[in-house]
Amino acid sequence: MKPQIAGHLLVECLVAQGVTHAFGVPGESFLAVLDGFHAWREQIRFVINRQEGGAAFMAEAHGKLTGRPGVCFVTRGPGATNASIGVHTAFQDSTPMVLFVGDVASDMRDREAFQEVNYESFFGPSTKGFAKRVERIDDARRIPEYIARAFATAMNGRPGPVVLVLPEDMLVQMVEAVPLPRVEAVQAWSDPGSLRSLREMLLQAQRPLVVAGGGGWTPQAAQALQRFAENWKLPVSNAFRFQDTFDNRHPQYAGDMGIAPNPRLAQRIRESDLILAIGPRLGEMTTGGYTLLEAPKPKQKLVHIHSSAEELNRVYQADLAIHATMNAAARSLEVLTAPPSLPWEAWTQAANADYLANLQPQSLPGDIDMPAIVAMVQKHLPADTVVTNGAGNFASWVHRYWRYRGLAHGGKTQLAPTSGAMGYGVPAGIAAAITTGRMAFTIAGDGDFLMNGQELATAVQHGAKTLIVLLNNGMYGTIRMHQEREYPQHVCGSQLQNPDFVALARAYGYAGVRITRTAEFEAELKAAVARPEGTLIEVMLDPEVITTRGTLGAITQAALDRQKK
């Protein structure tokens, strides 16, 4: 065994774990790792980002797309804190991810050295919102052990992020060690007694409804879920920003539970007598602020299947809690024998009819017809297009009108932060384009875009082509909407004076165009599809068009009317 520096061994261990791309911003604290990427450049690609938040988002997106940990490298202090937004998103979205942080040398530690931070305190499990585990590698000989454990921890149970801290002097030690074998996620299977109980509860139900989502799904698991739903003729809804878990064109699809859901679906959830939650945490967004399912004990009977035993009965006391990973759970469910006839077939048909009716838009003011624009994009882009967004009211146009191709067809088609992180969509789309070669369509707002618009430089440098549709209404729209609802006509902190987004996109190497009328959009979309580089289409949206269902003025007037009472 030939000795090598620890930084090279670390990269060799990543290759052994099947990592093909790592994202990051370079730092002098991990130069030995960068040299390892150079040594292993035929097997692994280091994607150079322009800000650590963008790098962490790209790694998180890659974890969503592959089901294996996305990898991000940042330097100590400011680099790590910048990356924290991606770690928080990976935690709330149940995405496997490993963040590597170059750290101060061992002989500098605990003196408040340059950019020194206690990462266990900053990222550790006690924060209840960042990493599943934080570890520092002090002994270079144990690098294979730490890498394998990080990957196992990130994937096992409820997937999530792990942080590994790399002292600068450790990375240059000479070491004789070999990587450990590739780690695979451990499958937890439903116990037979619980499956019998679930079947009995189904047989007693009249109005059941499935809520699918969360992390850990594979195409095979999604296919098994679909067969289970078909066998039992069940309506299936998708949890908040997991809209590709169940195919939106399936005749049993009921729509998505999330921010401002279809009112008919919300009512159907209230009227259901049995909720089968397969995979999601049942968080605040999916449950309408814990009102559609009341916490801690819902009015509906609840079967909750989750990959983490710690999540079960934590917020909701389920009538039946089943600890199982999604692959195992779905494969167990698909073999549950259904009776020849079921009393809820009309209920399922009506649920799908409600979803289809919700695709019909309301009349809204202005020269831009956003439902028509979404329809045009879906018409002209490939079926396996990856749709990405950050956070803001602009995202509701794709949440409501885009019909997501289900994971059962072979790959994820939605990358969206359940954490509500602004600035996610642009880097997520670029990561999808770099790592999969598929078309990536990003919808962004004017506020959201500037959170990580610098990553267009990353796209150009690495030959990635994405389509960005940027809705410019001159404000932080979500905040302005809530502002008018709570403090009508008291505008403060939500107005924006924007740059020339078209010129900005062109400066980065993208094509940039601006439209003011719907009739101008399709020609620009076709041109974007045809050209080799990425394109940003700026859409000048009337500020009155604040949601998919109503206007800002109507929200203001309703608030003023309430004040008069």
Side-chain angles (χ1 to χ4, degrees), residues 320-344:
L320 177 61
I322 299 177
H323 174 215
T325 50
M326 294 307 98
N327 281 338
R331 288 165 63 186
S332 296
L333 293 173
E334 72 170 320
V335 298
L336 281 185
T337 305
S341 62
L342 295 159
W344 57 72

Short mmCIF file of all heavy atoms in Angstrom, two decimals, residues 320-344:
data_model
loop_
_atom_site.label_atom_id
_atom_site.label_comp_id
_atom_site.label_asym_id
_atom_site.label_seq_id
_atom_site.Cartn_x
_atom_site.Cartn_y
_atom_site.Cartn_z
N LEU A 320 -52.45 4.19 13.95
CA LEU A 320 -51.52 3.11 13.62
C LEU A 320 -50.24 3.75 13.11
O LEU A 320 -50.25 4.45 12.09
CB LEU A 320 -52.12 2.18 12.56
CG LEU A 320 -51.21 1.04 12.06
CD1 LEU A 320 -50.84 0.10 13.20
CD2 LEU A 320 -51.90 0.27 10.93
N ALA A 321 -49.15 3.56 13.82
CA ALA A 321 -47.84 4.09 13.42
C ALA A 321 -46.97 2.94 12.95
O ALA A 321 -46.83 1.93 13.65
CB ALA A 321 -47.18 4.80 14.60
N ILE A 322 -46.40 3.09 11.76
CA ILE A 322 -45.58 2.03 11.17
C ILE A 322 -44.21 2.60 10.82
O ILE A 322 -44.10 3.56 10.05
CB ILE A 322 -46.24 1.45 9.90
CG1 ILE A 322 -47.60 0.83 10.24
CG2 ILE A 322 -45.33 0.41 9.24
CD1 ILE A 322 -48.36 0.30 9.03
N HIS A 323 -43.19 1.99 11.40
CA HIS A 323 -41.82 2.39 11.10
C HIS A 323 -41.33 1.58 9.91
O HIS A 323 -41.14 0.36 10.01
CB HIS A 323 -40.92 2.16 12.31
CG HIS A 323 -39.48 2.42 12.04
ND1 HIS A 323 -38.46 1.69 12.62
CD2 HIS A 323 -38.87 3.33 11.23
CE1 HIS A 323 -37.30 2.15 12.21
NE2 HIS A 323 -37.52 3.14 11.36
N ALA A 324 -41.15 2.24 8.77
CA ALA A 324 -40.67 1.55 7.56
C ALA A 324 -40.10 2.57 6.60
O ALA A 324 -40.58 3.70 6.51
CB ALA A 324 -41.81 0.78 6.89
N THR A 325 -39.05 2.17 5.89
CA THR A 325 -38.52 3.02 4.82
C THR A 325 -39.43 2.90 3.61
O THR A 325 -40.23 1.96 3.49
CB THR A 325 -37.10 2.59 4.47
OG1 THR A 325 -37.07 1.17 4.27
CG2 THR A 325 -36.13 2.94 5.58
N MET A 326 -39.33 3.86 2.71
CA MET A 326 -40.33 3.95 1.64
C MET A 326 -40.28 2.76 0.68
O MET A 326 -41.32 2.27 0.24
CB MET A 326 -40.16 5.26 0.88
CG MET A 326 -40.48 6.50 1.72
SD MET A 326 -42.11 6.42 2.53
CE MET A 326 -41.69 5.85 4.19
N ASN A 327 -39.09 2.30 0.33
CA ASN A 327 -39.00 1.13 -0.55
C ASN A 327 -39.70 -0.08 0.07
O ASN A 327 -40.49 -0.78 -0.58
CB ASN A 327 -37.54 0.77 -0.84
CG ASN A 327 -36.92 1.67 -1.89
OD1 ASN A 327 -37.63 2.27 -2.70
ND2 ASN A 327 -35.61 1.76 -1.90
N ALA A 328 -39.41 -0.31 1.34
CA ALA A 328 -39.99 -1.46 2.02
C ALA A 328 -41.48 -1.27 2.24
O ALA A 328 -42.29 -2.20 2.04
CB ALA A 328 -39.28 -1.69 3.35
N ALA A 329 -41.89 -0.07 2.66
CA ALA A 329 -43.30 0.19 2.95
C ALA A 329 -44.15 0.01 1.70
O ALA A 329 -45.19 -0.67 1.72
CB ALA A 329 -43.48 1.60 3.50
N ALA A 330 -43.72 0.62 0.60
CA ALA A 330 -44.53 0.55 -0.63
C ALA A 330 -44.62 -0.88 -1.16
O ALA A 330 -45.68 -1.32 -1.63
CB ALA A 330 -43.94 1.48 -1.68
N ARG A 331 -43.53 -1.63 -1.05
CA ARG A 331 -43.56 -3.02 -1.53
C ARG A 331 -44.44 -3.89 -0.64
O ARG A 331 -45.07 -4.85 -1.11
CB ARG A 331 -42.14 -3.56 -1.60
CG ARG A 331 -41.34 -2.94 -2.76
CD ARG A 331 -39.85 -3.19 -2.64
NE ARG A 331 -39.50 -4.61 -2.69
CZ ARG A 331 -38.28 -5.09 -2.50
NH1 ARG A 331 -37.30 -4.25 -2.22
NH2 ARG A 331 -38.04 -6.38 -2.57
N SER A 332 -44.53 -3.57 0.64
CA SER A 332 -45.44 -4.29 1.52
C SER A 332 -46.89 -3.94 1.21
O SER A 332 -47.77 -4.82 1.22
CB SER A 332 -45.13 -3.97 2.99
OG SER A 332 -43.85 -4.40 3.36
N LEU A 333 -47.15 -2.67 0.93
CA LEU A 333 -48.52 -2.24 0.68
C LEU A 333 -49.07 -2.79 -0.63
O LEU A 333 -50.26 -3.12 -0.73
CB LEU A 333 -48.58 -0.71 0.66
CG LEU A 333 -48.31 -0.01 1.99
CD1 LEU A 333 -48.24 1.50 1.79
CD2 LEU A 333 -49.39 -0.36 3.01
N GLU A 334 -48.21 -2.91 -1.64
CA GLU A 334 -48.73 -3.33 -2.94
C GLU A 334 -49.23 -4.77 -2.95
O GLU A 334 -49.97 -5.17 -3.83
CB GLU A 334 -47.66 -3.14 -4.03
CG GLU A 334 -46.51 -4.12 -3.98
CD GLU A 334 -45.63 -4.04 -5.23
OE1 GLU A 334 -46.18 -3.89 -6.35
OE2 GLU A 334 -44.40 -4.15 -5.08
N VAL A 335 -48.82 -5.58 -1.94
CA VAL A 335 -49.28 -6.96 -1.90
C VAL A 335 -50.44 -7.16 -0.94
O VAL A 335 -50.90 -8.29 -0.75
CB VAL A 335 -48.12 -7.92 -1.54
CG1 VAL A 335 -47.03 -7.86 -2.59
CG2 VAL A 335 -47.55 -7.60 -0.16
N LEU A 336 -50.93 -6.07 -0.35
CA LEU A 336 -52.14 -6.19 0.48
C LEU A 336 -53.33 -6.51 -0.42
O LEU A 336 -53.61 -5.77 -1.37
CB LEU A 336 -52.41 -4.89 1.22
CG LEU A 336 -51.61 -4.58 2.48
CD1 LEU A 336 -52.15 -3.29 3.12
CD2 LEU A 336 -51.67 -5.72 3.48
N THR A 337 -54.02 -7.57 -0.14
CA THR A 337 -55.11 -8.03 -0.99
C THR A 337 -56.34 -7.14 -0.80
O THR A 337 -56.83 -6.97 0.32
CB THR A 337 -55.48 -9.48 -0.68
OG1 THR A 337 -54.30 -10.28 -0.79
CG2 THR A 337 -56.54 -9.99 -1.64
N ALA A 338 -56.83 -6.59 -1.89
CA ALA A 338 -58.03 -5.75 -1.85
C ALA A 338 -59.27 -6.60 -2.15
O ALA A 338 -59.18 -7.58 -2.90
CB ALA A 338 -57.92 -4.62 -2.86
N PRO A 339 -60.43 -6.25 -1.60
CA PRO A 339 -61.67 -6.98 -1.91
C PRO A 339 -62.13 -6.69 -3.33
O PRO A 339 -61.67 -5.74 -3.97
CB PRO A 339 -62.66 -6.43 -0.88
CG PRO A 339 -62.16 -5.07 -0.56
CD PRO A 339 -60.67 -5.15 -0.64
N PRO A 340 -63.06 -7.49 -3.85
CA PRO A 340 -63.52 -7.30 -5.23
C PRO A 340 -64.15 -5.93 -5.48
O PRO A 340 -64.05 -5.38 -6.58
CB PRO A 340 -64.54 -8.42 -5.42
CG PRO A 340 -64.21 -9.44 -4.38
CD PRO A 340 -63.66 -8.67 -3.22
N SER A 341 -64.83 -5.39 -4.49
CA SER A 341 -65.46 -4.07 -4.67
C SER A 341 -65.18 -3.21 -3.46
O SER A 341 -64.99 -3.71 -2.34
CB SER A 341 -66.98 -4.22 -4.87
OG SER A 341 -67.57 -4.79 -3.72
N LEU A 342 -65.15 -1.91 -3.70
CA LEU A 342 -64.83 -0.95 -2.64
C LEU A 342 -65.86 0.18 -2.65
O LEU A 342 -66.29 0.63 -3.73
CB LEU A 342 -63.42 -0.38 -2.84
CG LEU A 342 -62.29 -1.41 -2.70
CD1 LEU A 342 -61.03 -0.94 -3.39
CD2 LEU A 342 -62.02 -1.66 -1.21
N PRO A 343 -66.25 0.67 -1.47
CA PRO A 343 -67.34 1.64 -1.41
C PRO A 343 -66.94 3.07 -1.77
O PRO A 343 -67.81 3.94 -1.82
CB PRO A 343 -67.78 1.55 0.06
CG PRO A 343 -66.55 1.14 0.81
CD PRO A 343 -65.81 0.23 -0.13
N TRP A 344 -65.66 3.31 -2.01
CA TRP A 344 -65.23 4.70 -2.20
C TRP A 344 -64.79 5.02 -3.63
O TRP A 344 -64.12 6.02 -3.87
CB TRP A 344 -64.10 5.03 -1.23
CG TRP A 344 -62.89 4.13 -1.33
CD1 TRP A 344 -61.97 4.08 -2.32
CD2 TRP A 344 -62.51 3.13 -0.39
NE1 TRP A 344 -61.03 3.12 -2.06
CE2 TRP A 344 -61.32 2.53 -0.87
CE3 TRP A 344 -63.04 2.68 0.82
CZ2 TRP A 344 -60.68 1.50 -0.18
CZ3 TRP A 344 -62.39 1.68 1.50
CH2 TRP A 344 -61.23 1.09 1.00
#
